[in-house]
Tab-separated table of all heavy atoms in Angstrom:
chain	number	residue	atom	x	y	z
A	355	ALA	N	117.271	-102.856	-47.776
A	355	ALA	CA	117.549	-102.725	-46.378
A	355	ALA	C	117.702	-104.006	-45.690
A	355	ALA	O	118.457	-104.171	-44.753
A	355	ALA	CB	116.488	-101.852	-45.685
A	356	MET	N	116.835	-104.910	-46.151
A	356	MET	CA	116.812	-106.359	-45.717
A	356	MET	C	116.375	-107.078	-46.976
A	356	MET	O	115.843	-106.515	-47.896
A	356	MET	CB	115.914	-106.594	-44.535
A	356	MET	CG	116.250	-105.933	-43.248
A	356	MET	SD	115.071	-106.181	-41.928
A	356	MET	CE	115.413	-107.955	-41.551
A	357	PRO	N	116.661	-108.420	-47.093
A	357	PRO	CA	116.242	-109.108	-48.280
A	357	PRO	C	114.751	-108.932	-48.536
A	357	PRO	O	113.904	-109.186	-47.722
A	357	PRO	CB	116.546	-110.578	-47.926
A	357	PRO	CG	117.719	-110.482	-46.948
A	357	PRO	CD	117.446	-109.277	-46.099
A	358	GLY	N	114.477	-108.402	-49.743
A	358	GLY	CA	113.098	-108.192	-50.154
A	358	GLY	C	112.473	-106.953	-49.616
A	358	GLY	O	111.263	-106.740	-49.793
A	359	LEU	N	113.241	-106.015	-49.007
A	359	LEU	CA	112.746	-104.760	-48.474
A	359	LEU	C	113.482	-103.594	-49.047
A	359	LEU	O	114.685	-103.424	-48.723
A	359	LEU	CB	112.740	-104.706	-46.984
A	359	LEU	CG	112.238	-103.511	-46.283
A	359	LEU	CD1	110.820	-103.210	-46.565
A	359	LEU	CD2	112.482	-103.566	-44.797
A	360	HIS	N	112.852	-102.752	-49.954
A	360	HIS	CA	113.469	-101.658	-50.513
A	360	HIS	C	112.764	-100.313	-50.116
A	360	HIS	O	111.623	-100.327	-49.852
A	360	HIS	CB	113.480	-101.782	-52.060
A	360	HIS	CG	114.272	-102.817	-52.600
A	360	HIS	ND1	115.524	-102.585	-53.167
A	360	HIS	CD2	114.130	-104.173	-52.662
A	360	HIS	CE1	116.138	-103.733	-53.543
A	360	HIS	NE2	115.254	-104.689	-53.258
A	361	PHE	N	113.538	-99.230	-50.153
A	361	PHE	CA	112.987	-97.909	-49.904
A	361	PHE	C	113.306	-97.026	-51.090
A	361	PHE	O	114.407	-97.093	-51.720
A	361	PHE	CB	113.637	-97.291	-48.649
A	361	PHE	CG	113.292	-97.900	-47.385
A	361	PHE	CD1	113.940	-99.071	-46.929
A	361	PHE	CD2	112.196	-97.476	-46.611
A	361	PHE	CE1	113.621	-99.701	-45.694
A	361	PHE	CE2	111.838	-98.061	-45.443
A	361	PHE	CZ	112.527	-99.157	-44.982
A	362	THR	N	112.358	-96.114	-51.455
A	362	THR	CA	112.565	-95.118	-52.469
A	362	THR	C	111.850	-93.847	-52.080
A	362	THR	O	110.796	-93.852	-51.425
A	362	THR	CB	112.141	-95.602	-53.869
A	362	THR	OG1	112.500	-94.652	-54.897
A	362	THR	CG2	110.649	-95.840	-53.873
A	363	GLY	N	112.386	-92.747	-52.538
A	363	GLY	CA	111.727	-91.447	-52.280
A	363	GLY	C	111.995	-90.888	-50.945
A	363	GLY	O	111.246	-89.917	-50.533
A	364	HIS	N	113.018	-91.366	-50.166
A	364	HIS	CA	113.269	-90.801	-48.843
A	364	HIS	C	114.479	-89.955	-48.778
A	364	HIS	O	115.105	-89.772	-47.695
A	364	HIS	CB	113.331	-91.957	-47.880
A	364	HIS	CG	112.031	-92.712	-47.707
A	364	HIS	ND1	110.961	-92.284	-46.951
A	364	HIS	CD2	111.547	-93.842	-48.368
A	364	HIS	CE1	109.973	-93.118	-47.018
A	364	HIS	NE2	110.302	-94.049	-47.921
A	365	THR	N	114.952	-89.470	-49.998
A	365	THR	CA	116.048	-88.531	-49.959
A	365	THR	C	115.670	-87.328	-50.768
A	365	THR	O	114.612	-87.341	-51.418
A	365	THR	CB	117.295	-89.193	-50.655
A	365	THR	OG1	116.945	-89.503	-52.047
A	365	THR	CG2	117.779	-90.432	-49.941
A	366	ASN	N	116.392	-86.225	-50.626
A	366	ASN	CA	116.088	-85.012	-51.335
A	366	ASN	C	117.263	-84.519	-52.185
A	366	ASN	O	117.952	-83.618	-51.760
A	366	ASN	CB	115.678	-83.952	-50.246
A	366	ASN	CG	114.943	-82.724	-50.861
A	366	ASN	OD1	114.505	-82.798	-51.989
A	366	ASN	ND2	114.888	-81.693	-50.126
A	367	PRO	N	117.594	-85.180	-53.241
A	367	PRO	CA	118.819	-84.969	-53.964
A	367	PRO	C	118.807	-83.640	-54.708
A	367	PRO	O	117.783	-83.187	-55.177
A	367	PRO	CB	118.857	-86.180	-54.990
A	367	PRO	CG	117.459	-86.450	-55.147
A	367	PRO	CD	116.810	-86.271	-53.860
A	368	ILE	N	119.980	-83.119	-54.853
A	368	ILE	CA	120.127	-81.758	-55.482
A	368	ILE	C	119.858	-81.940	-57.038
A	368	ILE	O	119.570	-80.994	-57.723
A	368	ILE	CB	121.579	-81.244	-55.219
A	368	ILE	CG1	121.582	-79.726	-55.659
A	368	ILE	CG2	122.600	-82.033	-55.922
A	368	ILE	CD1	122.924	-79.134	-55.222
A	369	SER	N	119.952	-83.196	-57.496
A	369	SER	CA	119.764	-83.461	-58.929
A	369	SER	C	118.215	-83.572	-59.326
A	369	SER	O	117.945	-83.832	-60.512
A	369	SER	CB	120.457	-84.712	-59.355
A	369	SER	OG	120.179	-85.769	-58.459
A	370	GLY	N	117.356	-83.436	-58.415
A	370	GLY	CA	115.926	-83.477	-58.617
A	370	GLY	C	115.288	-84.768	-58.163
A	370	GLY	O	115.745	-85.871	-58.512
A	371	VAL	N	114.242	-84.654	-57.344
A	371	VAL	CA	113.588	-85.837	-56.697
A	371	VAL	C	113.002	-86.753	-57.793
A	371	VAL	O	113.244	-87.940	-57.771
A	371	VAL	CB	112.553	-85.328	-55.684
A	371	VAL	CG1	111.715	-86.564	-55.220
A	371	VAL	CG2	113.147	-84.654	-54.543
A	372	LEU	N	112.252	-86.185	-58.731
A	372	LEU	CA	111.588	-87.034	-59.712
A	372	LEU	C	112.618	-87.772	-60.613
A	372	LEU	O	112.374	-88.947	-60.912
A	372	LEU	CB	110.608	-86.186	-60.501
A	372	LEU	CG	109.369	-85.730	-59.795
A	372	LEU	CD1	108.650	-84.661	-60.573
A	372	LEU	CD2	108.431	-86.820	-59.407
A	373	ARG	N	113.676	-87.115	-60.960
A	373	ARG	CA	114.641	-87.748	-61.776
A	373	ARG	C	115.232	-88.968	-61.035
A	373	ARG	O	115.430	-90.071	-61.577
A	373	ARG	CB	115.781	-86.795	-62.110
A	373	ARG	CG	116.937	-87.447	-62.950
A	373	ARG	CD	118.014	-86.396	-63.175
A	373	ARG	NE	119.145	-87.029	-63.878
A	373	ARG	CZ	120.237	-87.521	-63.355
A	373	ARG	NH1	120.313	-87.621	-61.984
A	373	ARG	NH2	121.154	-88.093	-64.075
A	374	GLU	N	115.503	-88.818	-59.738
A	374	GLU	CA	116.133	-89.817	-58.977
A	374	GLU	C	115.081	-90.944	-58.645
A	374	GLU	O	115.443	-92.165	-58.615
A	374	GLU	CB	116.696	-89.317	-57.665
A	374	GLU	CG	117.865	-88.334	-57.855
A	374	GLU	CD	119.002	-88.990	-58.633
A	374	GLU	OE1	119.272	-90.156	-58.468
A	374	GLU	OE2	119.583	-88.275	-59.491
A	375	LEU	N	113.816	-90.594	-58.488
A	375	LEU	CA	112.770	-91.594	-58.366
A	375	LEU	C	112.677	-92.538	-59.609
A	375	LEU	O	112.599	-93.730	-59.506
A	375	LEU	CB	111.393	-90.944	-58.141
A	375	LEU	CG	111.189	-90.345	-56.748
A	375	LEU	CD1	109.804	-89.671	-56.727
A	375	LEU	CD2	111.242	-91.348	-55.653
A	376	ALA	N	112.787	-91.887	-60.758
A	376	ALA	CA	112.753	-92.691	-62.028
A	376	ALA	C	113.930	-93.640	-62.094
A	376	ALA	O	113.807	-94.816	-62.533
A	376	ALA	CB	112.775	-91.700	-63.218
A	377	LEU	N	115.085	-93.123	-61.748
A	377	LEU	CA	116.330	-93.991	-61.781
A	377	LEU	C	116.187	-95.105	-60.722
A	377	LEU	O	116.473	-96.240	-61.014
A	377	LEU	CB	117.537	-93.135	-61.524
A	377	LEU	CG	117.908	-92.119	-62.671
A	377	LEU	CD1	119.054	-91.267	-62.184
A	377	LEU	CD2	118.238	-92.801	-63.959
A	378	ASP	N	115.774	-94.733	-59.539
A	378	ASP	CA	115.544	-95.731	-58.415
A	378	ASP	C	114.588	-96.814	-58.852
A	378	ASP	O	114.832	-97.979	-58.579
A	378	ASP	CB	115.002	-95.076	-57.149
A	378	ASP	CG	116.095	-94.773	-56.160
A	378	ASP	OD1	117.266	-95.103	-56.425
A	378	ASP	OD2	115.803	-94.241	-55.092
A	379	ALA	N	113.495	-96.447	-59.553
A	379	ALA	CA	112.498	-97.439	-59.944
A	379	ALA	C	113.131	-98.496	-60.847
A	379	ALA	O	112.798	-99.663	-60.658
A	379	ALA	CB	111.351	-96.740	-60.708
A	380	GLN	N	113.990	-98.078	-61.786
A	380	GLN	CA	114.592	-99.057	-62.659
A	380	GLN	C	115.559	-99.910	-61.963
A	380	GLN	O	115.598	-101.175	-62.172
A	380	GLN	CB	115.297	-98.324	-63.807
A	380	GLN	CG	114.446	-97.388	-64.653
A	380	GLN	CD	113.564	-98.129	-65.624
A	380	GLN	OE1	113.299	-99.296	-65.465
A	380	GLN	NE2	113.036	-97.449	-66.646
A	381	ARG	N	116.286	-99.348	-61.009
A	381	ARG	CA	117.267	-100.109	-60.255
A	381	ARG	C	116.584	-101.145	-59.322
A	381	ARG	O	117.046	-102.277	-59.207
A	381	ARG	CB	118.124	-99.149	-59.394
A	381	ARG	CG	119.066	-98.223	-60.297
A	381	ARG	CD	119.503	-97.058	-59.435
A	381	ARG	NE	120.332	-96.169	-60.188
A	381	ARG	CZ	120.568	-94.829	-59.875
A	381	ARG	NH1	120.004	-94.386	-58.790
A	381	ARG	NH2	121.305	-94.077	-60.614
A	382	ILE	N	115.516	-100.703	-58.655
A	382	ILE	CA	114.812	-101.622	-57.746
A	382	ILE	C	114.194	-102.742	-58.535
A	382	ILE	O	114.158	-103.906	-58.192
A	382	ILE	CB	113.757	-100.820	-56.947
A	382	ILE	CG1	114.448	-99.893	-55.970
A	382	ILE	CG2	112.805	-101.794	-56.226
A	382	ILE	CD1	113.544	-98.916	-55.224
A	383	ALA	N	113.541	-102.365	-59.669
A	383	ALA	CA	112.899	-103.418	-60.492
A	383	ALA	C	113.928	-104.407	-61.051
A	383	ALA	O	113.658	-105.606	-61.051
A	383	ALA	CB	112.116	-102.718	-61.680
A	384	ASN	N	115.101	-103.916	-61.424
A	384	ASN	CA	116.164	-104.820	-61.907
A	384	ASN	C	116.556	-105.797	-60.755
A	384	ASN	O	116.736	-106.995	-60.981
A	384	ASN	CB	117.374	-103.998	-62.378
A	384	ASN	CG	117.170	-103.407	-63.775
A	384	ASN	OD1	116.302	-103.867	-64.529
A	384	ASN	ND2	117.892	-102.379	-64.044
A	385	ALA	N	116.711	-105.273	-59.590
A	385	ALA	CA	117.139	-106.075	-58.446
A	385	ALA	C	116.093	-107.168	-58.091
A	385	ALA	O	116.462	-108.291	-57.896
A	385	ALA	CB	117.422	-105.179	-57.218
Side-chain angles (χ1 to χ4, degrees):
M356 295 177 71
L359 178 62
H360 291 259
F361 291 85
T362 185
H364 295 278
T365 62
N366 197 14
I368 195 172
S369 50
V371 171
L372 290 169
R373 176 182 181 270
E374 296 303 322
L375 287 176
L377 294 173
D378 260 1
Q380 301 286 17
R381 294 163 181 159
I382 291 171
N384 284 338

